[in-house]
Amino acid sequence: MRQTLFSRCRSFFLRLSKPDASKEPVPVRATIVAIVADEHDRNVLAGACQRQEWGVQFCGTYQAAIESANRIQAPVILCDRDVTGSEWRHAVQALAASPHGARVILISRVLDDYLWREVGLKGGHDVLSKPLQEDDVVRAVKLAWSYWNSTVKT
């Protein structure tokens, strides 16, 4: 079976990211901002954050997430594609344009090369598939935090 370009690139970057993610762990009590529509995904995210000793601030709208992320300077923002109130493309772009350079991860039922490319073009960092799985959440947040941390230091 032929792998898509997306899955090959993702595998490549995952292999590269594993050593870096363990060198600089996300600090205890780092707080991420999340806009999550589904109750199951909220529970998975809350559990992952609790086990990793990260703070998580849930928001109901994209605008609330922008305000919250800017106020606490959240390094990582998880953004659900299914949240109503704004078109996800505009939301990702607005969240990624935060003054402190937050890394935005889109959560979506659809996961393909086109979406991944579009998220990148809008300034997003990664895409997680629904329903959320704890291992994927932890990996994506650690990698996003690592990128955010390296850009803050330079």
Side-chain angles (χ1 to χ4, degrees), residues 44-45 47-49 51-52 132-139:
V44 169
L45 181 57
C49 289
R51 281 182 271 295
Q52 295 294 320
L132 288 180
Q133 305 223 350
E134 187 170 331
D135 291 344
D136 293 338
V137 169
V138 170
R139 177 205 46 80

Side-chain angles (χ1 to χ4, degrees), residues 86-97:
S86 180
E87 209 273 323
W88 70 266
R89 290 171 187 85
H90 300 298
V92 167
Q93 195 166 19
L95 291 164

Side-chain angles (χ1 to χ4, degrees), residues 53-139:
E53 297 181 4
W54 303 331
V56 62
Q57 187 166 358
F58 289 103
C59 298
T61 65
Y62 295 127
Q63 186 59 40
I66 291 168
E67 293 168 6
S68 179
N70 287 337
R71 185 177 10 52
I72 65 172
Q73 295 191 351
V76 180
I77 304 169
L78 278 83
C79 173
D80 196 325
R81 182 179 175 167
D82 296 337
V83 171
T84 58
S86 180
E87 209 273 323
W88 70 266
R89 290 171 187 85
H90 300 298
V92 167
Q93 195 166 19
L95 291 164
S98 64
H100 60 283
R103 300 294 179 211
V104 180
I105 300 169
L106 183 71
I107 303 167
S108 176
R109 291 188 194 290
V110 177
L111 189 64
D112 59 17
D113 296 343
Y114 176 77
L115 177 65
W116 209 79
R117 180 178 180 273
E118 195 165 4
V119 167
L121 289 173
K122 297 295 180 186
H125 179 76
D126 201 354
V127 181
L128 283 174
S129 63
K130 286 182 155 200
L132 288 180
Q133 305 223 350
E134 187 170 331
D135 291 344
D136 293 338
V137 169
V138 170
R139 177 205 46 80

